[in-house]
Amino acid sequence: MITPFRRLLLALGLAAACAGAHAQYPARPITMVVPFPPGGTSDSLARIIAKNVGENLGQSVVVENKPGVEGQIAAQDIAKSAPDGYRIALVTSGNFSVLPAMRKNPPYDVITDFTPIADVGRYAFFLYVNPSVPAKNMREFIAHAKANPGKMSYGSGNGTGVLVFAQIKSLFGIDLLHVPYKGEPPAMTDLLAGRLDAMIATGAGLPFAKEGKLRPLVTLLPTRSPLAPEVPVMREAGMSELPVVIWAAVVGPAGMPKDIVERLNKAVLASLAKPDVVASIEQMGFAVTPGRPEVLGNLIKTQVGAYTKLVKSIGIPLQ
């Protein structure tokens, strides 16, 4: 029989053991799950962060790509993982804001199923068309789509693309063919090859635009991008701005110890304070806005509400 005193000693011993384990963290490599395939902006962003966080922590951080279902697969993977800090994820507004807003029964709760670790930054998205599309601006794009109902196609490699094109179709009353992809790279490949007419994508498409292989018609940024100052913002193109933030951040499973969260947050923020790291990331058209766990937690909560309101205003049927 275990006496109350013996039970107390065991509890204290267990607490000491856990504290020792936390103090040694990380004692082995960490995995960072990414909800998109290799080659895109999110993948490149994750690899830059993983490399530098690993250097800060003295352990390697390995990137694992788990694309599919608009980021749902990666998010569910993390939600079901042990909250020990060895399996974390780079998540985006796609699988943490758009997906919950567009589902009748979301597959996870972004508030209760995850631990916020660090805000990372904001994406720069553009609407690109293949040069075969006879449109130099959004007005001409809409006119061409109206003249060819159901014949023009657009690809989506993320939830943002789905949402923005739904807004465009609702606002201008046009009929476009939607072709979904597991991520931006395969959709971009088909857009470059002319198998798609248009898509919403990150700044990863700008190098192709400079070569004349793509044509950006509008940016989703609130102000013109310094990487493409000739591309107008949505209000300049006759469209309403999105009342939401297109973001990326690092999270873990629910229930992570505060000391591990703190170590990871400090490692991410230290990485994003390096001038060479910031320069590399900004070249992708991504704005670095590192933040504390509590700041990220508030962002996640407010953006779910903002995206839900936007989906309702556009009239998108819930899945």
Side-chain angles (χ1 to χ4, degrees):
M1 179 179 178
I2 301 179
T3 65
F5 181 70
R6 176 63 174 167
R7 188 176 293 113
L8 175 61
L9 289 178
L10 288 172
L12 291 173
L14 178 60
C18 290
H22 292 179
Q24 296 170 8
Y25 175 85
R28 63 177 190 271
I30 299 167
T31 297
M32 179 180 285
V33 177
V34 181
F36 300 105
T41 298
S42 296
D43 176 68
S44 298
L45 175 64
R47 293 180 188 278
I48 292 173
I49 293 173
K51 176 180 180 296
N52 286 275
V53 167
E55 291 174 355
N56 287 329
L57 293 175
Q59 277 286 357
S60 59
V61 180
V62 182
V63 171
E64 180 179 329
N65 301 89
K66 293 184 78 71
V69 200
E70 299 170 8
Q72 176 180 323
I73 294 175
Q76 287 180 305
D77 175 284
I78 293 301
K80 296 176 182 177
S81 297
D84 54 10
Y86 287 101
R87 198 165 183 83
I88 58 178
L90 179 81
V91 298
T92 72
S93 48
N95 59 348
F96 260 55
S97 299
V98 180
L99 187 148
M102 296 182 68
R103 298 289 183 87
K104 292 180 181 177
N105 299 296
Y108 44 79
D109 188 318
V110 295
I111 307 300
T112 62
D113 292 344
F114 302 91
T115 298
I117 294 174
D119 191 358
V120 173
R122 310 291 177 258
Y123 289 96
F125 274 87
F126 298 82
L127 190 159
Y128 300 94
V129 296
N130 183 275
S132 63
V133 175
K136 301 296 191 297
N137 52 52
M138 282 302 297
R139 181 179 57 80
E140 294 178 0
F141 177 82
I142 299 303
H144 184 66
K146 286 186 175 181
N148 297 273
K151 295 181 180 179
M152 292 182 66
S153 61
Y154 70 94
S156 65
N158 51 67
T160 300
V162 175
L163 190 59
V164 174
F165 268 110
Q167 182 188 33
I168 292 172
K169 290 193 290 184
S170 173
L171 183 63
F172 297 103
I174 57 176
D175 181 15
L176 301 172
L177 175 64
H178 178 207
V179 184
Y181 291 80
K182 287 186 176 181
E184 184 174 293
M188 182 66 71
T189 297
D190 280 357
L191 180 65
L192 288 165
R195 291 186 286 270
L196 288 174
D197 293 308
M199 73 175 287
I200 300 289
T202 63
L206 292 178
F208 299 111
K210 294 185 185 301
E211 297 173 4
K213 297 178 180 178
L214 293 178
R215 184 182 304 129
L217 301 185
V218 67
T219 177
L220 275 57
L221 290 167
T223 58
R224 294 195 180 202
S225 169
L227 297 179
E230 74 283 1
V231 181
V233 300
M234 295 180 75
R235 67 176 180 278
E236 294 173 324
M239 301 166 59
S240 57
E241 291 185 27
L242 290 177
V244 292
V245 175
I246 307 174
W247 56 272
V250 178
V251 306
M256 287 179 61
K258 290 184 179 180
D259 56 335
I260 290 180
V261 173
E262 185 68 17
R263 295 194 70 180
L264 284 168
N265 178 267
K266 287 183 176 179
V268 173
L269 267 57
S271 300
L272 297 177
K274 297 178 180 179
D276 59 328
V277 171
V278 174
S280 297
I281 293 174
E282 289 182 343
Q283 280 301 310
M284 299 187 294
F286 186 91
V288 176
T289 60
R292 297 277 301 156
E294 57 273 17
V295 173
L296 173 58
N298 185 61
L299 174 73
I300 292 172
K301 183 177 181 179
T302 58
Q303 287 303 300
V304 168
Y307 274 88
T308 300
K309 184 176 181 180
L310 177 60
V311 167
K312 288 182 179 179
S313 69
I314 298 173
I316 301 176
L318 299 184
Q319 301 173 11

